[in-house]
Every structure is written in C-alpha cells, then in structure tokens.
Amino acid sequence: DTAVSQTPKYLVTQMGNDKSIKCEQNLGHDTMYWYKQDSKKFLKIMFSYNNKELIINETVPNRFSPKSPDKAHLNLHINSLELGDSAVYFCASSQDPRAAYGYTFGSGTRLTVV
Amino acid sequence: AQSVTQLDSQVPVFEEAPVELRCNYSSSVSVYLFWYVQYPNQGLQLLLKYLSGSTLVKSINGFEAEFNKSQTSFHLRKPSVHISDTAEYFCAVSLGAQKLVFGQGTRLTINP
C-alpha cells in the first residue's frame, strides 16, 4: 500500500502545453510538499501546504500553481510549459510543518518538455 | 542562512571497503539531521535521522552517522559496502524553518 503516490510517473509534452501532476498520501500527515530535482540531482523546494493552507511558496514562476483540495492531496498544475521545466518533480509529506521527523517521498514524476 | 554542504560529489569504492560520505551544515541553532538514499529512477528513502539524544545513529542496513555539534557535521559511514549500496545519498537539515534543505548529493559507486 503506497504511502505517497504520484501520477503520472513519466510525462512527455510539447512546449506551451498545460499539464498536471497529482499526489496523494495515506499516512494521515498534515503537511505536503513539492520539490524539483534538476539534471544535477539538486533538490529545491517549490511549495508546501499544511492542512490545505499554503505555507511555503519559493521563487517559482507563477506558471506553477499548486492546489490542495484536502490534506491528503496536493496537485501541481503547470501552464505554458518551457524546456527548462524538464526535471523530476517529487511530492513529499511530513507529520508536522517543521519537518522535524523528515519526509516521506513519492517516487517522482519525470517531466520532459520537447 | 541555513545551508548544507556535501563535500564529495562522487565517491568510488571497492566492494567490502569502508566508506565515509561527508556532510557539513551551517546553523547557529539546534537542528534535525537526515540522510536519504536515492536508488536509480526511484524516490528518496529515509536512511537515518538525528533528532536528539545519542549522537551516533544507525540504520538497519549497516550505515551509521555521527552528529558532531562542534564541527557542524553529520558524516555517513559504513564499514563494508556492497554492490547494492550504489546510489545517490543526500544529507538534509531542518531547523524548524518548515522545510528540509538538502545537500547537493553524493554519488556512491561500488566497484567489484
């Protein structure tokens, strides 16, 4: 039974398209995150939500819009995709907003923009 | 600002040899420290963590890490590595800033 699940696992799309990535956790955690891992494996936080409320919004283009319909789901919608958006996007969850106990990660979504 | 530095981007070792992956952080307050492992084409898995108490923490697969407050380090060690340990390893720090900050990662390659 997957704790943090993301769909799709792979996403190939053309520049200018709009796409969404979905994330769901069944751990009962209150806080969820989106991280971007670039081609050099560097992980950078994009957003975090605590119980449906936006907590962190790093310097991310406003083409990226997160949505949390409930505390178990955090989706990421991307408008007008660009080549530089190609990366692996990870969803994660934690027991508390301070991340004192670490995260549980999803398996990632590899986005390729052509 | 809080930052995490992994001093080696790649570490090649022979099977059954010992290994140390280095991690230093900058913070003037108490921290929580983590090591994550990422196998090829997979997500990150928690390997071990330091929250408080004993400064030496261990994982179930033979890795250990020691929190050194004076040197602001949290190095990861294993006395004898196996081919299956080949992966990317990430050090991460949380100091209550509502997020984990990750190091750049260290690619551990085990040669037979």
Side-chain angles (χ1 to χ4, degrees):
Chain A
D1 198 21
T2 305
V4 181
S5 59
Q6 293 179 230
T7 54
K9 190 171 177 63
Y10 299 97
L11 185 54
V12 181
T13 187
Q14 291 187 327
M15 278 195 304
N17 284 351
D18 303 338
K19 290 294 178 184
S20 292
I21 306 171
K22 295 186 175 182
C23 180
E24 175 182 2
Q25 55 96 3
N26 62 4
L27 297 166
H29 289 172
D30 285 339
T31 312
M32 296 184 72
Y33 309 80
W34 280 111
Y35 274 76
K36 179 180 180 181
Q37 185 176 46
D38 62 23
S39 59
K40 294 183 179 179
K41 301 286 189 181
F42 183 67
L43 281 154
K44 184 171 170 53
I45 191 167
M46 301 173 69
F47 304 102
S48 77
Y49 272 74
N50 184 57
N51 203 8
K52 302 193 299 178
E53 180 183 348
L54 181 65
I55 300 296
I56 293 175
N57 184 348
E58 295 283 308
T59 308
V60 177
N62 57 16
R63 298 182 294 104
F64 289 79
S65 54
K67 282 189 172 54
S68 182
D70 55 61
K71 75 173 192 176
H73 295 83
L74 180 61
N75 304 322
L76 183 65
H77 188 76
I78 316 170
N79 290 325
S80 303
L81 278 155
E82 300 177 357
L83 292 176
D85 298 331
S86 295
V88 181
Y89 292 84
F90 285 103
C91 177
S93 71
S94 68
Q95 288 177 256
D96 70 296
R98 294 175 305 134
Y101 299 96
Y103 297 162
T104 301
F105 281 89
S107 57
T109 296
R110 183 175 295 276
L111 171 65
T112 304
V113 183
V114 297
Chain B
Q2 174 189 14
S3 72
V4 183
T5 303
Q6 291 183 241
L7 296 159
D8 306 295
S9 60
Q10 296 186 60
V11 173
V13 295
F14 288 106
E15 196 172 13
E16 298 183 3
V19 69
E20 178 179 78
L21 307 183
R22 297 179 292 170
C23 174
N24 286 89
Y25 64 93
S26 62
S27 174
S28 58
V29 299
S30 297
V31 296
Y32 304 121
L33 297 155
F34 306 86
W35 276 99
Y36 282 84
V37 57
Q38 184 179 26
Y39 298 106
N41 298 313
Q42 294 188 27
L44 282 81
Q45 302 173 32
L46 180 65
L47 190 59
L48 44 73
K49 62 187 175 188
Y50 170 78
L51 303 181
S52 64
S54 172
T55 56
L56 183 65
V57 291
K58 300 184 179 185
S59 72
I60 58 173
N61 59 353
F63 282 95
E64 62 181 36
E66 185 155 22
F67 168 55
N68 188 320
K69 187 175 182 179
S70 62
Q71 296 186 7
T72 58
S73 68
F74 191 54
H75 301 333
L76 181 69
R77 302 183 183 96
K78 189 170 184 179
S80 176
V81 295
H82 188 268
I83 291 282
S84 60
D85 293 324
T86 296
E88 193 90 19
Y89 291 80
F90 293 91
C91 181
V93 175
S94 167
L95 47 59
Q98 301 180 324
K99 63 182 181 182
L100 292 187
V101 176
F102 287 84
Q104 306 94 316
T106 298
R107 177 169 296 180
L108 176 62
T109 305
I110 313 299
N111 299 307

